[in-house]
Amino acid sequence: AGYQRTTLELLLLISWNCLFRKEIVGRRLARRQGQGQWGFASQPQEFVSSTTEDALNDFLDRQSRFYKESKQAKEHLAKKNAATNGNDSHINAILQSDLSPIYPSLPNAAQKYLCRNVYDGDTLTLDDGSRVRLLGIDTPELKEKQPFALEAKEYTKKYCHGKNIWLTFQENGGIENDKNKDHYGRLLAFIWVSLSGDDNNGGKKGEKTPRQSSFDSNASQWLCINEGLVASGLAHSYSPSKSKKVHNHDKLLGLQKLARGHKRGQWKTHKDYNAIVTPSGSAFHKCKNKRNTLSDCKYLARSKSLSLLSVSDAYDKGLHPCRNCFG
């Protein structure tokens, strides 16, 4: 009994000492803040309580041998939550607009293929060996180790590698029309995948999928990979010339602007600066000086009517970075 009493008294003494210590520390912290008995006479009571409590908890945390690790963990969690909230707001902004890359059905002319391999964000190989280049966009280059090149590849790989995909083309005739190929012989196409998880393992080459005639709450959803990459900030809109624009060119520009505004993907570290443009060109170029149109780009050697334009405005006009200048 005497041992239990001694132990109880010791615990009470420790508890009283902790409370007294917290009270003293709290008073000292409050006095450091400024005016009044507690130093927060000009602040709302809720603010006084939360501020004093936070400061006191931080002080007591510092007494722990694991304070540094705890602080780093809290900072990492705060950054992660901020990124998640930002991503959610970006997705909601897209889905609530008319720019969503998700569709309730496939286009009528969509043809089904099996993807064998994904080379990078905008290039893949079909089961029969045909190479496909995603139309209307350009992703960062893996060879040049450009930022977000790996992320762009992982995005396309996630939805396409080893799975059924559906192709549509800008011109009629599908794969038989040479206008739907580039000078490397690659097919230029829009790629579609099912988000419902159905029919994702195998498929016959060129098999057409009938369009759904009606939809209910369980209807399938289809993602256009080309648009999804732009919406995620992992690609920008691309047209080889001002006269050759894809049918969804304006939509791609809208998705690009939203991704830039929400700092998604490659736009996270984007900083605006001046670039050189020509009246009829489809690209913008690097300039030696931000205030003039001097450039080392070989494509501007014979150009005379040069002007400066911010890179953001150039992107909004549908221009793309010159490959000679930017790689």
Side-chain angles (χ1 to χ4, degrees):
Y3 174 76
Q4 292 179 348
R5 181 179 177 181
T6 303
T7 303
L8 180 60
E9 290 176 348
L10 180 61
L11 290 174
L12 289 174
L13 181 61
I14 292 174
S15 299
W16 180 86
N17 185 52
C18 289
L19 290 174
F20 179 75
R21 181 185 179 192
K22 185 173 182 179
E23 178 74 12
I24 295 299
V25 173
R27 288 174 179 269
R28 289 177 179 175
L29 289 171
R31 282 199 296 270
R32 290 177 185 176
Q33 300 298 323
Q35 307 168 359
Q37 180 184 2
W38 294 98
F40 297 102
S42 61
Q43 301 291 348
Q45 186 61 36
E46 296 79 3
F47 176 81
V48 173
S49 301
S50 62
T51 305
T52 305
E53 190 69 22
D54 290 344
L56 184 56
N57 288 335
D58 184 68
F59 175 83
L60 294 176
D61 284 346
R62 288 177 185 273
Q63 313 311 309
S64 170
R65 58 183 295 188
F66 301 109
Y67 172 72
K68 183 177 180 180
E69 292 79 359
S70 176
K71 184 178 180 181
Q72 290 175 344
K74 289 179 181 179
E75 291 175 349
H76 173 74
L77 184 60
K79 290 180 180 179
K80 184 177 180 180
N81 290 336
T84 301
N85 293 335
N87 189 50
D88 289 343
S89 63
H90 173 62
I91 292 174
N92 290 334
I94 291 177
L95 294 180
Q96 293 173 7
S97 69
D98 57 352
L99 299 175
S100 175
I102 299 174
Y103 295 76
S105 64
L106 279 170
N108 284 325
Q111 294 185 335
K112 182 178 176 182
Y113 295 86
L114 179 63
C115 174
R116 186 177 73 190
N117 181 56
V118 173
Y119 176 72
D120 60 16
D122 55 27
T123 311
L124 54 81
T125 305
L126 301 179
D127 196 39
D128 64 358
S130 301
R131 297 288 292 273
V132 179
R133 171 67 164 80
L134 274 67
L135 187 59
I137 69 168
D138 193 26
T139 60
E141 299 295 331
L142 277 172
K143 285 185 177 181
E144 283 73 16
K145 297 182 179 180
Q146 294 178 342
F148 290 94
L150 286 175
E151 288 83 348
K153 177 181 179 178
E154 287 304 313
Y155 182 97
T156 304
K157 186 176 181 179
K158 172 185 175 181
Y159 290 107
C160 301
H161 180 74
K163 301 178 181 179
N164 285 326
I165 61 175
W166 285 258
L167 271 57
T168 58
F169 302 90
Q170 180 74 9
E171 304 290 340
N172 295 327
I175 62 175
E176 305 300 330
N177 189 343
D178 287 340
K179 291 183 179 180
N180 290 322
K181 298 179 182 179
D182 62 10
H183 57 283
Y184 298 111
R186 300 177 299 184
L187 295 171
L188 301 174
F190 295 97
I191 295 180
W192 306 78
V193 296
S194 171
L195 296 180
S196 65
D198 299 332
D199 197 19
N200 258 340
N201 297 308
K204 297 179 180 179
K205 173 186 174 184
E207 177 184 344
K208 289 190 178 181
T209 302
R211 184 174 182 175
Q212 293 173 314
S213 57
S214 60
F215 307 96
D216 52 30
S217 59
N218 295 318
S220 298
Q221 290 184 318
W222 300 87
L223 170 66
C224 178
I225 297 295
N226 309 52
E227 295 178 0
L229 281 162
V230 176
S232 301
L234 300 176
H236 61 258
S237 174
Y238 175 79
S239 296
S241 69
K242 286 189 174 181
S243 61
K244 294 182 180 180
K245 295 180 180 178
V246 292
H247 69 276
N248 60 345
H249 178 72
D250 291 339
K251 182 175 182 179
L252 290 173
L253 293 184
L255 288 169
Q256 180 175 270
K257 190 171 184 177
L258 268 178
R260 189 176 75 240
H262 289 117
K263 295 187 178 298
R264 297 294 94 191
Q266 62 184 344
W267 305 109
K268 185 176 182 179
T269 57
H270 172 72
K271 294 182 179 180
D272 219 358
Y273 56 92
N274 284 336
I276 302 174
V277 296
T278 61
S280 59
S282 59
F284 58 84
H285 309 262
K286 277 186 179 180
C287 51
K288 287 184 175 180
N289 190 299
K290 296 179 180 180
R291 299 180 180 180
N292 59 52
T293 57
L294 293 177
S295 175
D296 292 328
C297 183
K298 62 181 180 180
Y299 296 121
L300 297 179
R302 298 181 180 180
S303 300
K304 296 181 179 180
S305 301
L306 304 178
S307 59
L308 293 177
L309 186 68
S310 72
V311 170
S312 293
D313 288 341
Y315 275 118
D316 290 343
K317 290 179 178 293
L319 304 181
H320 58 82
C322 168
R323 299 194 177 217
N324 180 67
C325 295
F326 297 93

